[in-house]
Amino acid sequence: MTTCLIRYVLDPAKTAEFAHYGRMWIKLVERFGGTHHGYFLPGEGPAAAFSFPGVGSAGPPNVAIALFSFPDLAAYERYRQCAADDDEARAATTYFHETKCFLSYERSFLRPLT
């Protein structure tokens, strides 16, 4: 299994638009054979002490995360090819271009440690 983690830097004034964008992609990933684990939006966190003092620090308040998995990297690549030819996926991309609901993103591929 390979899990894709996307870390978005949001425009805080466009969180609602980003949530709509995320909902569009959740169903697309699942339609193309993936398992979407959800989008995680900024929230209010406790002012708790860090477990490892001097090592941890508070993260930025405008970061969102998406996590979704495919059986392997080849299945992820098939999803990308299918999405490129799909009207709903193109509409989601157009929605981003119209709203600019995030400022940047990073993509990482993870594997489970069991």
Side-chain angles (χ1 to χ4, degrees):
M1 176 174 67
T2 187
T3 298
C4 184
L5 177 149
I6 303 179
R7 179 186 180 272
Y8 297 91
V9 176
L10 303 184
D11 176 340
K14 297 183 179 179
T15 303
E17 290 87 346
F18 181 78
H20 178 74
Y21 171 83
R23 286 184 191 99
M24 295 170 84
W25 279 106
I26 288 171
K27 69 179 185 174
L28 288 165
V29 166
E30 298 208 344
R31 183 157 47 93
F32 293 124
T35 300
H36 210 296
H37 308 291
Y39 279 77
F40 300 85
L41 304 177
E44 303 237 357
F50 286 93
S51 298
F52 302 99
V55 179
S57 62
N62 64 333
V63 169
I65 301 291
L67 291 165
F68 53 93
S69 299
F70 284 89
D72 53 36
L73 198 52
Y76 171 80
E77 290 298 336
R78 284 190 299 277
Y79 145 75
R80 299 267 302 162
Q81 290 172 353
C82 290
D85 294 329
D86 182 79
D87 288 338
E88 285 184 59
R90 283 195 291 268
T93 300
T94 298
Y95 181 80
F96 161 73
H97 288 297
E98 290 171 351
T99 64
K100 303 288 191 230
C101 57
F102 59 90
L103 305 173
S104 65
Y105 71 97
E106 300 168 343
R107 181 181 67 187
S108 299
F109 292 98
L110 308 171
R111 58 186 171 83
L113 175 67
T114 56

